[in-house]
Amino acid sequence: MRVFVTGGAGFIGSHTLVQLLRQNAEVTAFDNYSNSSPVALARVKRLAQSDLSSVEGDICNRAALETAMRAAKPDAVIHFAGLKAVGESSEKPLSYYKNNIAGSIALLETMDAVGCRNIVFSSSATVYDPAKAAPFTEEDPLGAVNPYGRTKQFIEEIIRDWAAANSDASAAILRYFNPVGAHVSGDIGEDPVGIPNNLMPFIARVAAGSLPRLQVFGGDYPTSDGTGARDYIHVEDLASAHLAALKYAATVKGCDVFNIGTGRSTTVLEMLHAFEQACGKAIAYRITERRAGDVASSVADVSKAKRILGWQAKYDVADMCQSSWNWQSRNPKGYDNGQ
């Protein structure tokens, strides 16, 4: 199978590429490297012991997309590319709407132009209405409370309409929760530009000494210890879910949606203490005010993915923390370490 992966050099994309290549897929990675590095692709090739094609480009550039896709002749697309920080989206909403939505429309238009009818879209649990008590099922009402989540919700509707308008189209939408961890080799992992917006890389950099302390946004949520609770999922599990969805989309028509998580919640402080166990040292933190757009708890009901995709998570929080620390300690400067 020939697979075109937008955002292929990113955190989730790079881990998915390794698994695709090990399944003998012909892969083209398309990325503008705004929050990723081409070094990741070199390491992907080494880990998979296989080659791939890569194109530097922006999904909002329709001409660049079409040139790349006509050369790749993909059977399917996995769509990761997009801005992804909840807090930043509240500060820069127009950038998120422009990049995520306009880019996704350009991608679907290009798929039409080249005759590609299969897509797996990485959505997010942020599409759910937090007024509904967790765990969330795929049938629960949507109602994103931040611009990032709304872009994902709107893109889902666009893809659903696209699939409905094309009888030969197939789309699998994955609503995943909080991806963390790294490849067991320690060669690829999460390497955000600047100060991390996500919990795990921030904890890892505090543990490594490159940041002074973790800011915990909110200590008065209705959770076991007052800090926000999330369904964290190992990036390797998330990558395997995309392969399962790709296989599913190749056999059915229409559009379907799946939650991808563990079905268990972990608070910020629980994750911090688990990371302390992994790295063998105390991690400084302080509790500050809640962050705009955050919710108290977000947990998946993952029974549908298990039933239909035959997929379920394998790794626990200890695995997530140990692999993240392995990546951080081996790559203190991230991909700036080079090849």
Side-chain angles (χ1 to χ4, degrees), residues 237-288:
D237 279 331
L238 185 51
S240 69
H242 282 82
L243 267 67
L246 192 68
K247 183 177 179 180
Y248 171 79
T251 62
V252 300
K253 302 303 177 186
C255 180
D256 209 347
V257 59
F258 303 92
N259 285 339
I260 303 298
T262 64
R264 299 180 297 276
S265 67
T266 303
T267 68
V268 173
L269 290 183
E270 287 171 342
M271 182 64 79
L272 181 144
H273 296 320
F275 205 98
E276 289 177 329
Q277 292 294 314
C279 69
K281 63 182 77 175
I283 297 172
Y285 72 94
R286 66 184 179 93
I287 296 176
T288 64

Side-chain angles (χ1 to χ4, degrees), residues 3-330:
V3 187
F4 190 88
V5 183
T6 71
F11 175 42
I12 306 167
S14 59
H15 289 78
T16 303
L17 291 180
V18 172
Q19 294 193 22
L20 283 169
L21 290 171
R22 287 180 172 172
Q23 294 292 321
N24 297 316
E26 295 180 34
V27 178
T28 298
F30 187 87
D31 204 302
N32 66 0
Y33 305 122
S34 64
N35 194 31
S36 60
S37 169
V39 175
L41 297 182
R43 295 189 181 186
V44 163
K45 294 177 186 179
R46 186 168 69 234
L47 287 170
Q49 296 186 320
S50 182
D51 202 4
L52 59 82
S53 298
S54 61
V55 178
E56 182 174 357
D58 194 299
I59 58 169
C60 291
N61 186 331
R62 174 78 164 72
L65 263 178
E66 184 161 346
T67 298
M69 290 187 72
R70 287 199 181 281
K73 299 180 175 63
D75 301 304
V77 168
I78 301 180
H79 181 27
F80 291 113
L83 301 177
K84 62 176 185 176
V86 169
E88 182 185 61
S89 76
S90 294
E91 299 166 1
K92 304 175 181 179
L94 296 184
S95 295
Y96 274 69
Y97 287 119
K98 179 179 180 180
N99 185 87
N100 294 4
I101 296 177
S104 296
I105 291 172
L107 177 63
L108 291 169
E109 288 176 337
T110 306
M111 289 175 65
D112 283 342
V114 303
C116 180
R117 285 288 189 258
N118 296 330
I119 185 170
V120 175
F121 172 56
S122 278
S123 187
S124 167
T126 55
V127 301
Y128 287 115
D129 183 347
K132 193 273 179 188
F136 296 110
T137 72
E138 291 85 353
E139 290 73 36
D140 282 335
L142 305 186
V145 296
N146 54 68
Y148 165 70
R150 280 189 280 272
T151 67
K152 292 292 191 178
Q153 185 176 340
F154 297 158
I155 294 166
E156 284 193 15
E157 295 301 326
I158 291 167
I159 290 175
R160 192 171 285 110
D161 289 340
W162 171 81
N166 297 281
S167 61
D168 58 343
S170 178
I173 295 171
L174 303 188
R175 291 176 184 157
Y176 56 81
F177 285 64
N178 290 71
V180 296
H183 193 270
V184 66
S185 66
D187 283 347
I188 57 174
E190 189 169 10
D191 183 29
V193 174
I195 297 176
N197 286 299
N198 296 326
L199 176 64
M200 186 70 90
F202 205 113
I203 291 177
R205 291 189 184 181
V206 174
S210 59
L211 289 173
R213 68 180 60 84
L214 172 70
Q215 288 189 80
V216 180
F217 297 105
D220 58 351
Y221 285 110
T223 61
S224 61
D225 58 23
T227 62
R230 299 290 182 269
D231 188 339
Y232 295 95
I233 179 170
H234 199 294
V235 66
E236 286 285 275
D237 279 331
L238 185 51
S240 69
H242 282 82
L243 267 67
L246 192 68
K247 183 177 179 180
Y248 171 79
T251 62
V252 300
K253 302 303 177 186
C255 180
D256 209 347
V257 59
F258 303 92
N259 285 339
I260 303 298
T262 64
R264 299 180 297 276
S265 67
T266 303
T267 68
V268 173
L269 290 183
E270 287 171 342
M271 182 64 79
L272 181 144
H273 296 320
F275 205 98
E276 289 177 329
Q277 292 294 314
C279 69
K281 63 182 77 175
I283 297 172
Y285 72 94
R286 66 184 179 93
I287 296 176
T288 64
E289 294 182 355
R290 295 184 182 188
R291 183 171 56 183
D294 276 350
V295 297
S297 180
S298 182
V299 186
D301 179 327
V302 294
S303 57
K304 182 178 178 181
K306 182 177 181 180
R307 184 177 71 253
I308 297 177
L309 299 182
W311 173 91
Q312 64 183 100
K314 297 179 180 178
Y315 300 101
D316 61 17
V317 169
D319 297 321
M320 300 172 198
C321 292
Q322 191 60 61
S323 61
S324 289
W325 179 238
N326 186 32
W327 152 257
Q328 181 66 50
S329 57
R330 286 170 56 91

